[in-house]
Amino acid sequence: MAAPPKKLLDQVREAIRIKHYSYRTEESYVYWIRRYILFHNKRHPREMGKAEMEAFLSHLAVEEQVAASTQNQALSALLFLYRYVLNQPFEEPLDALRAKRSRYLPTVLTREEVLAVIEQLSGVYRLVIQVLYGSGLRLTEGLRLRVKDLDFAQRQIIIRDTKGAESRITTLPECLIERLKQHLQGVKRLHQLDLEAGYGSVYLPFALDRKYPNADRDWIWQFVFPSFGLSRDPRSGVVRRHHLHETGVQRAVKQATRAAGIEKRVNCHTFRHSFATHLLQNGYDIRTVQELLGHKDVKTTMIYTHVLNRGGRGVRSPLD
């Protein structure tokens, strides 16, 4: 008896996993494709095309007033659907109304403000934020660090398969080396307890678990910042200890900012912005900062030079 055909969204998930996209990307793409189908009264995407895509994207921009990045994410999901699942790639550019891209300057803390926030943090959350600020990492990059990515001898961190599927090397603050070593001792004890309980495996990217069958239990592949409990992998169903969840760190930063009395909009990414700005203030050249941040285009890094010029670009107010 022939197996029933797979549902469309299951086909989408399968195509995403073949391309080794992250689980977060998988969830967001499925979400936007489902929204697209419901917007057009549950019509099958194969029956729709360029006009329906333009209508949906224009609705997001005009009626829902989403940010440009949100609209672009929806567009990417639909292009993926038609190109890799339905085999109907679009050759012509879409003529949808585009959300206006905002040009905002990122929030940057002074060094004193950074230290004040860190002072209000404790435990593993404090160490996570110290790594984000000290090395200029994105939150997901910090939480996905593996033991093998910390090079204490060279005082560097290797960020692997990050945004854009590329890797880079950034600095490891000397003042965090001993603290990280102590932290890893506790993580290793936890890993040993997991192994004794019949667990101890960790998610490996790019099907490395098939290429190296026992690598998922090796110490070097464990997360530097493991979660507090075991959980079931949503893709494989295997019970594992994943890394810390982003929301816990984000909540801790919000509370610490309030406790420090800082009246700025601060999130975890603020520490990466502050890292870059403070390096430029200390005289490091823009290309060095670009390399440490992993920006493909120096224009992206240039935003921090604009941050340095805030305050009327050095103009003295006549009121002063």
Side-chain angles (χ1 to χ4, degrees), residues 169 275 279 284-294 301:
I169 294 176
F275 165 85
L279 285 183
Y284 288 94
D285 65 273
I286 192 75
R287 292 292 183 181
T288 298
V289 178
Q290 176 193 1
E291 185 176 338
L292 293 175
L293 293 176
T301 319

Side-chain angles (χ1 to χ4, degrees), residues 133-198:
Y133 172 63
S135 303
L137 305 188
R138 301 176 179 92
L139 176 58
T140 52
E141 292 173 348
L143 296 183
R144 291 173 183 171
L145 286 175
R146 314 270 182 160
V147 173
K148 65 184 182 60
D149 298 331
L150 301 181
D151 188 340
F152 294 117
Q154 298 293 328
R155 291 199 300 120
Q156 64 185 22
I157 298 177
I158 304 172
I159 316 299
R160 304 178 191 275
D161 306 314
T162 181
K163 189 174 181 180
E166 295 185 358
S167 300
R168 72 180 192 276
I169 294 176
T170 187
T171 182
L172 172 60
E174 189 170 354
C175 62
L176 291 183
I177 290 179
E178 287 306 316
R179 177 72 183 87
L180 281 168
K181 287 181 177 179
Q182 294 173 9
H183 168 76
L184 288 179
Q185 289 176 4
V187 174
K188 195 167 190 177
R189 287 193 294 269
L190 180 63
H191 176 54
Q192 188 60 42
L193 291 174
D194 285 345
L195 289 173
E196 293 172 0

